[in-house]
Amino acid sequence: MDRYDFMRLALKEAEKCKESEDVPVGAVIAKDNKVIATGRNLREKDKLTVQHAEIVAITNANKLLGTANLTGCEMYVTLEPCPMCAGAIINAKISKVVFGAFDLKNGAAGSVTNLFSMPFTHKTECFGGVMEDKCSKILTDFFKKIR
């Protein structure tokens, strides 16, 4: 599988947000080129502020692998991580994060700030703009519908 295959899976996770009226963001965590965990925004459904797609996926990967250390894992997420999620990615020691749409208001991977460039103990590689048009469209359609 390549980054586009993983991003397509993350988009499928984002689509599931229609059921809960959450902002449609999906995430996939892969290790050794295989999906080990997925997540989607569940903030509104669960009424928990921290239930962003990245946090849900990290929690699922932690449970599956039985460890808090996700070294060697890659995350694919449809929207640029916010500061909370970027911090969680760094603390989980995820090796690489690939995101689709840029978040010009809350993005912590280069748009507003870049936590991945800070001198933390763990360095996570970060790449944005993969399937950006499709990742942006699902968000734009959602916000048009609710406004």
Side-chain angles (χ1 to χ4, degrees), residues 61-102:
N62 292 149
K63 288 176 183 174
L64 177 81
L65 298 177
T67 181
N69 185 335
L70 300 181
T71 299
C73 292
E74 299 177 352
M75 178 181 282
Y76 298 84
V77 60
T78 58
L79 180 64
E80 179 179 359
C82 71
M84 174 182 71
C85 292
I89 291 165
I90 293 164
N91 279 291
K93 296 185 167 109
I94 291 175
S95 298
K96 180 167 72 173
V97 63
V98 177
F99 66 89
F102 290 85

Side-chain angles (χ1 to χ4, degrees), residues 7 15 24 34 41 53 67 74 78 80 86 88-89 110 116 136 142:
M7 193 61 77
E15 288 285 342
K34 292 183 181 120
N41 273 356
T67 181
E74 299 177 352
T78 58
E80 179 179 359
I89 291 165
F116 298 108
S136 294
F142 171 80

Side-chain angles (χ1 to χ4, degrees), residues 97-112:
V97 63
V98 177
F99 66 89
F102 290 85
D103 186 343
L104 302 178
K105 294 181 179 177
N106 300 296
S111 290
V112 176

